[in-house]
Amino acid sequence: MRGVTGRLMLLDTASLYFRAYFGVPDTVKAPDGTPVNAVRGLLEFIDRLVRDHHPDRLVACMDADWRPRWRVDLIPSYKAHRVAEARETGPDEEEVPDTLSPQVPVIEAVLDAVGIARVGVARYEADDVIGTFTARAKGPVDIVTGDRDLYQLVDDARGVRVLYPLKGVGSLQLTDEAWLREKYGVDGAGYADLALLRGDPSDGLPGVPGIGEKTAAKLLAEFGDLAGIIAAVGDPKAKLTPSQRKRLDEARPYLAVAPKVVKVADDVPLPDVDTTLPRAPRDPAAVEELAARWGLGGSLQRLLATLAV
């Protein structure tokens, strides 16, 4: 895998099937009446992405652990509001719509039968899998996600960009460093520092009280990065208001651990997988069986036709 070049597309799979679930009516059902809106919506997403962006390699990155204990140990509020059931061993159960949960195994089975690489690693989120594939990539990388956390991986010099769905996948925001600087005043590397300073309620990250997005961007422009901001707190000559200095000083315990929580890992032990975009199904019999069992019809056939081109 290390020597492989060509355009690599990394799917933040859960982010995309959540969007498919809410974007496709739940009247889309299998012959037995089971909703398959997320399954069919995701297949249509992938079909459109392959047709429009022509990746050479494709990986569906999975959340083997959506709320890793090592992150929770550092910031206990991390994603706490999304826990449906806490477990003593193994990942906590995430709050997921009742009619979406049964579709996830179907999605996994279809991806496997088609031959699209599917990678999840114990104790890590899909973001970390994406971060590690990106770090190892020798060519350009397209990250497809509805999660802005992955903006931190954008790197023009390496050809790493984020394709952020605005509506379905027909309308994608191509996020590069120029877009990030215009929108947030930071580049890809600076986005993680911006995010941890301002906080993120959707992930249970408190941020620094009184430091919003605009203030965080100004501080990063002035002092370079989080380390520069923390050094400025101890420098009486640094251009900080008294309230900023006080708030940042009081937030030192949070700022000491937040980077490890917010920054995606780039050293995940990835399995050795073939990431080549499949031209024909890996298991044609399984594809046929799944298509009939779940009524996947045109969604699956269109994807297979696109892959065969």
Side-chain angles (χ1 to χ4, degrees):
M1 185 176 64
R2 286 180 176 275
V4 180
T5 57
R7 182 170 297 278
L8 170 64
M9 178 173 281
L10 302 171
L11 307 181
D12 183 3
T13 313
S15 166
L16 298 179
Y17 66 60
F18 263 94
R19 282 181 174 245
Y21 175 81
F22 288 109
V24 178
D26 60 8
T27 51
V28 175
K29 295 181 178 180
D32 67 358
T34 305
V36 288
N37 53 328
V39 184
R40 289 186 60 163
L42 180 65
L43 294 175
E44 289 165 9
F45 274 10
I46 296 173
D47 174 44
R48 182 68 181 267
L49 288 163
V50 172
R51 279 191 288 121
D52 289 355
H53 299 283
H54 313 291
D56 301 288
R57 299 182 292 136
L58 180 66
V59 184
C61 302
M62 313 296 291
D63 282 317
D65 190 340
W66 67 280
R67 188 173 182 250
R69 171 55 53 186
W70 56 271
R71 283 192 165 106
V72 176
D73 287 345
L74 294 170
I75 298 181
S77 63
Y78 183 67
K79 295 186 178 179
H81 60 296
R82 287 155 54 182
V83 175
E85 181 185 344
R87 292 175 173 160
E88 289 294 325
T89 58
D92 292 335
E93 184 177 336
E94 185 177 13
E95 193 170 332
V96 176
D98 291 344
T99 54
L100 173 57
S101 296
Q103 297 188 57
V104 177
V106 181
I107 288 168
E108 294 175 344
V110 172
L111 292 174
D112 291 349
V114 170
I116 291 173
R118 183 172 64 84
V119 178
V121 179
R123 298 181 62 248
Y124 291 99
E125 300 177 57
D127 286 9
D128 303 310
V129 174
I130 290 169
T132 304
F133 269 112
T134 300
R136 295 184 183 181
K138 302 298 184 183
V141 180
D142 284 343
I143 298 165
V144 189
T145 180
D147 183 354
R148 292 181 177 88
D149 291 345
L150 289 166
Y151 286 172
Q152 64 184 274
L153 298 177
V154 170
D155 184 339
D156 287 0
R158 296 188 61 232
V160 180
R161 60 185 184 173
V162 167
L163 309 183
Y164 184 92
L166 298 172
K167 188 176 181 182
V169 289
S171 176
L172 289 171
Q173 172 189 288
L174 271 60
T175 306
D176 58 12
E177 289 190 355
W179 188 91
L180 284 177
R181 281 191 289 269
E182 183 177 344
K183 176 74 173 174
Y184 297 106
V186 295
D187 57 12
Y191 188 83
D193 286 346
L194 177 84
L196 67 87
L197 285 164
R198 72 158 185 227
D200 186 349
S202 68
D203 280 343
L205 293 171
V208 178
I211 305 292
E213 188 168 280
K214 289 183 179 178
T215 302
K218 287 179 182 176
L219 291 172
L220 288 167
E222 178 72 26
F223 302 110
D225 56 15
L226 181 62
I229 292 170
I230 292 172
V233 174
D235 178 2
K237 295 179 181 178
K239 294 178 182 177
L240 289 169
T241 68
S243 63
Q244 288 171 351
R245 194 181 299 275
K246 181 174 184 292
R247 285 166 174 160
L248 288 163
D249 189 48
E250 291 173 347
R252 282 181 188 272
Y254 164 74
L255 294 174
V257 298
K260 186 169 176 59
V261 174
V262 173
K263 291 181 179 179
V264 302
D266 61 4
D267 57 353
V268 173
L270 297 176
D272 187 16
V273 293
D274 182 2
T275 61
T276 306
L277 193 72
R279 295 303 175 192
R282 176 184 295 147
D283 188 339
V287 166
E288 192 172 328
E289 181 184 341
L290 288 162
R293 166 73 177 85
W294 299 106
L296 302 180
S299 301
L300 182 52
Q301 288 307 313
R302 282 189 293 274
L303 173 60
L304 293 175
T306 296
L307 293 173
V309 173

